[in-house]
Amino acid sequence: MIVTLTANPSLDRTVELPAPLARGEVQRAVAVHQHSGGKGVNVSRALVASGLDTVAVLPGGDSDPVLSGLLDDGVPYAALPISEPLRSNVTLTEPDGVTTKINEPGPELSLDEQEALIGLLLDRSRGASWVVLAGSLPPGVPADFYATIARRLRSKNNNPANGRPPLIAIDSSGAPLAAAIRGDSNGISGKPDLLKPNAEELAELAAAAGFTDVHTADELEADPVLAAQAAAAVVGSGVGAVLATLGSKGAVLVTADGAWFATHPPIQAVSTVGAGDSSLAGYLLAATNGGSAQDCLRQAVAHGAAAASLPGSTVPAVSQTTPDAVTITALQKD
């Protein structure tokens, strides 16, 4: 079982344009797609598509369109009732794959609601193999929310004598992501077993981890060895592994045991929305099936490529991916 937490879920609308976006002009869409979204929700949707057991934990009222969409998609969920409607996000995609996103902030969660959401997650995570903490945080939620949850998941109070805490993956950005690699509290680590940054987030993480040779996202995407060195600095700070997605250039995986770079043959990009979330789902799918680090990286890249070839925020099933087409190269991380 893989449990996901999406603290700031959304109703994602993707509008396909027949030509490049023309600011200030009237353009007619060629198609519109709508899905329940947010990073953790997308991971759960991708896992369901491949037949893996998952539960999506999120806030939301019973009649909210996001929850209705999860029902329609057959995604099991546990929702904390809140009175405010969940946010809506709009994505514009151009024929060449360029994507423009407009994201709302989402409803504010009170301290009581934050604690109730953590309690719901802890309850649903008992016996889970992985817990995924993903996406932005809504207004009112502190930046160290995910790190706090990680420590709570690992505490003895949440894991009786014979209980084993789940492995923890975090996929976020900005301050919540930076907080995920900070120190322990009361001897319990809030650092994840897996971080899934993109190139821009990796540059920020490496700087926060003390990597002195900091580079831009474009430079990291262009040089997998440099990306591996940046990811190694993050792993050296106490994170279990870093899966850094580098857009169309592929992905780098760094663990304490090694570093690898994976590429997929070029695909016709339709929409990159949710491609990173699908990559994380592919990694977890392979990990759950006992795959090696290279197996997990291979399936992550295959899932990401398949997602980018689909419209809107559509997620692929494993049968739609081509892991055999992925090429993996061992890298030096030092």
Side-chain angles (χ1 to χ4, degrees):
M1 169 69 75
I2 296 176
V3 179
T4 67
L5 171 68
T6 308
N8 202 16
S10 58
L11 186 66
D12 289 347
R13 288 173 53 84
T14 302
V15 180
E16 291 186 34
L17 300 176
L21 176 65
R23 294 182 60 197
E25 302 295 332
V26 175
Q27 291 179 273
R28 298 186 183 278
V30 295
V32 177
H33 309 275
Q34 180 170 292
H35 292 100
S36 300
K39 284 185 173 295
V41 166
N42 289 339
V43 170
S44 282
R45 288 173 53 229
L47 294 173
V48 166
S50 294
L52 207 65
D53 289 338
T54 183
V55 173
V57 176
L58 70 166
D62 289 341
S63 61
D64 196 281
V66 173
L67 300 189
S68 299
L70 291 177
L71 282 175
D72 293 341
D73 290 341
V75 177
Y77 68 84
L80 173 73
I82 60 172
S83 58
E84 295 295 319
L86 297 173
R87 61 181 179 150
S88 295
N89 294 337
V90 177
T91 299
L92 305 177
T93 61
E94 301 175 41
D96 62 355
V98 171
T99 299
T100 303
K101 299 188 70 175
I102 303 172
N103 292 350
E104 295 182 5
E108 183 170 348
L109 294 184
S110 68
L111 291 177
D112 287 344
E113 289 171 331
Q114 293 172 37
E115 182 58 34
L117 186 62
I118 293 175
L120 179 61
L121 176 69
L122 295 178
D123 179 64
R124 292 307 178 104
S125 298
R126 299 185 192 281
S129 57
W130 282 88
V131 170
V132 178
L133 310 175
S136 64
L137 296 176
V141 177
D144 64 350
F145 189 64
Y146 289 150
T148 297
I149 292 174
R151 288 190 289 268
R152 294 274 293 272
L153 284 166
R154 292 168 174 151
S155 71
K156 290 183 179 180
N157 290 337
N158 194 58
N159 299 283
N162 296 325
R164 297 183 60 185
L167 297 171
I168 298 168
I170 295 180
D171 182 4
S172 190
S173 60
L177 188 59
I181 66 169
R182 291 179 189 149
D184 303 344
S185 177
N186 297 322
I188 303 175
S189 175
K191 298 175 184 179
D193 300 284
L194 175 68
L195 272 177
K196 208 295 298 165
N198 59 26
E200 181 177 354
E201 294 156 355
L202 177 59
E204 296 174 358
L205 280 170
F211 185 54
T212 56
D213 193 14
V214 178
H215 291 262
T216 66
D218 288 342
E219 290 171 325
L220 293 179
E221 285 191 356
D223 188 345
V225 173
L226 188 62
Q229 291 171 349
V234 179
V235 171
S237 73
V239 172
V242 172
L243 171 66
T245 51
L246 306 176
S248 62
K249 302 297 176 62
V252 165
L253 175 65
V254 176
T255 72
D257 298 321
W260 302 269
F261 173 53
T263 59
H264 189 283
I267 53 98
Q268 179 62 48
V270 176
S271 171
T272 59
V273 180
D277 307 329
S278 290
S279 292
L280 178 53
Y283 181 102
L284 296 174
L285 180 65
T288 300
N289 290 330
S292 65
Q294 295 96 316
D295 294 331
C296 294
L297 176 59
R298 186 184 305 278
Q299 193 59 55
V301 170
H303 253 76
S309 69
L310 298 173
S313 56
T314 305
V315 294
V318 68
S319 59
Q320 295 173 285
T321 69
T322 52
D324 290 343
V326 176
T327 300
I328 295 182
T329 305
L331 299 175
Q332 291 294 326
K333 60 180 180 177
D334 300 316

